[in-house]
Amino acid sequence: MTDVQELRITLTVDDFDAAVRLYRDALGLTEIADWSSDQGRVLLLDAGRATLELFDEAQAAMVDDLEVGRRVSGKVRFALRVPDADAMATTLIEAGASAVGPAVETPWGDRHARVAAPDGLQLTLFTPGQE
C-alpha cells in the first residue's frame, strides 16, 4: 500500500487559453476548480485514474519508432486512454494540436495516435484492443 493518494501533473504553458481549449474543451477533461487570481491563472482538470509508467531509453525509442517512425519524444510524454484514438486525434488537431505520426496498430493489439499539444508536449492517445 502506498501513501500516495493522487498523481497531479502541473503544466506551465505559454498560451493558457490554447491549453484550456485543448485539454478541457477538446479532450473533455472536467474542470474541478478555477483558482485563477490577479497573481496568475490556474485550472484543475480531472484526468481520471493516473498511473506512472517508467521507460528506459531503449523502450522509449521502440515506442517512438512504432508510433512515429523515429525517436522524437522528450523525457515526458502523456499517454491518454480514450474510446477512439483516431477520432480524438482529429478532435485535438482541430483544437490546435499537431499530428506527430499517423495512427498505428501496436503488436499488442492497441490503437495509438500521437499528437503534440500547442506547447509541444507529446500525447499518445491509445485505445486498447479487445480486453
Side-chain angles (χ1 to χ4, degrees):
M1 182 70 176
T2 179
D3 288 334
V4 176
Q5 298 177 4
E6 177 182 357
L7 172 63
R8 182 174 294 181
I9 300 165
T10 302
L11 299 179
T12 301
V13 296
D14 293 329
D15 187 336
F16 192 84
D17 292 324
V20 170
R21 281 191 301 275
L22 186 82
Y23 293 105
R24 186 192 66 193
D25 301 341
L27 192 56
L29 300 182
T30 302
E31 185 176 319
I32 298 170
D34 183 343
W35 295 324
S36 298
S37 70
D38 293 340
Q39 296 175 325
R41 298 173 69 189
V42 58
L43 288 182
L44 186 61
L45 304 174
D46 183 1
R49 186 177 75 94
T51 59
L52 180 62
E53 186 172 21
L54 303 175
F55 282 1
D56 66 7
E57 181 57 38
Q59 181 68 17
M62 186 280 292
V63 170
D64 276 1
D65 188 55
L66 175 72
E67 293 179 1
V68 183
R70 65 191 188 289
R71 183 74 172 100
V72 295
S73 67
K75 294 288 185 185
V76 176
R77 174 180 49 85
F78 285 175
L80 304 167
R81 181 178 175 165
V82 296
D84 184 334
D86 295 83
M88 183 57 70
T90 298
T91 298
L92 295 183
I93 290 165
E94 290 170 355
S98 57
V100 177
V104 297
E105 293 290 329
T106 66
W108 49 93
D110 293 354
R111 183 81 174 160
H112 286 205
R114 181 86 66 93
V115 301
D119 61 4
L121 180 66
Q122 291 191 15
L123 309 171
T124 291
L125 307 166
F126 72 97
T127 303
Q130 301 295 20
E131 295 179 295

